[in-house]
Amino acid sequence: MEITTDDYQVGYIPETATFKYQGFLRLNGMEAYQPIIDLMLNQIQPHEKMTLDLRELEFLNSSGISMLSMFVVKVRQMENVQLILLGSNQVLWQTKSLKNLQRLMPSLKLEFS
């Protein structure tokens, strides 16, 4: 399962329950992000560890950050899903914004490399 355009790629690796993001995500408004959030929500399974690998996502606009926030809240409501975010110390938006997602879900594991 994958969404690919000239600017970005979002793919799901079922064997590891990992979403991998690459490129520049700068869609206009939350409606434009709906296919991505639908892809993510359809893969949430209770009693599972889920990883969002954002290390190769170089840009994410405010609507995209809102999309991630909505996803984190949905996962938090399920209670039995462990969420891990992988970020890069080399990407400025990640060092600033991903920590805010941890405020929405204190059990969220945040790893930077």
Side-chain angles (χ1 to χ4, degrees):
M1 290 168 236
E2 181 173 300
I3 298 173
T4 301
T5 72
D6 290 340
D7 294 330
Y8 68 89
Q9 181 177 22
V10 178
Y12 181 68
I13 305 164
E15 295 81 14
T16 58
T18 299
F19 280 95
K20 189 165 178 70
Y21 304 80
Q22 296 174 304
F24 297 85
L25 252 173
R26 49 185 162 217
L27 303 176
N28 291 326
M30 288 300 295
E31 290 178 13
Y33 280 96
Q34 196 61 48
I36 296 172
I37 194 80
D38 289 344
L39 176 69
M40 295 166 66
L41 292 174
N42 287 335
Q43 300 307 320
I44 297 176
Q45 299 293 325
H47 309 289
E48 186 175 307
K49 180 171 70 173
M50 181 171 260
T51 302
L52 305 184
D53 184 349
L54 302 160
R55 293 175 292 185
E56 295 181 25
L57 186 60
E58 297 179 45
F59 182 82
L60 185 65
N61 66 6
S62 59
S63 295
I65 291 170
S66 295
M67 171 200 66
L68 285 180
S69 299
M70 286 177 45
F71 181 75
V72 167
V73 169
K74 291 279 187 188
V75 171
R76 182 185 69 194
Q77 291 171 345
M78 295 189 73
E79 297 182 3
N80 295 323
V81 178
Q82 180 184 7
L83 186 59
I84 300 167
L85 298 186
L86 302 179
S88 170
N89 284 323
Q90 306 301 313
V91 182
L92 185 60
W93 78 265
Q94 292 183 15
T95 59
K96 290 186 173 185
S97 299
L98 293 183
K99 290 177 184 170
N100 290 331
L101 296 176
Q102 206 167 29
R103 292 184 185 145
L104 296 173
M105 183 179 177
S107 65
L108 182 152
K109 190 173 179 183
L110 187 56
E111 298 177 5
F112 283 97
S113 58

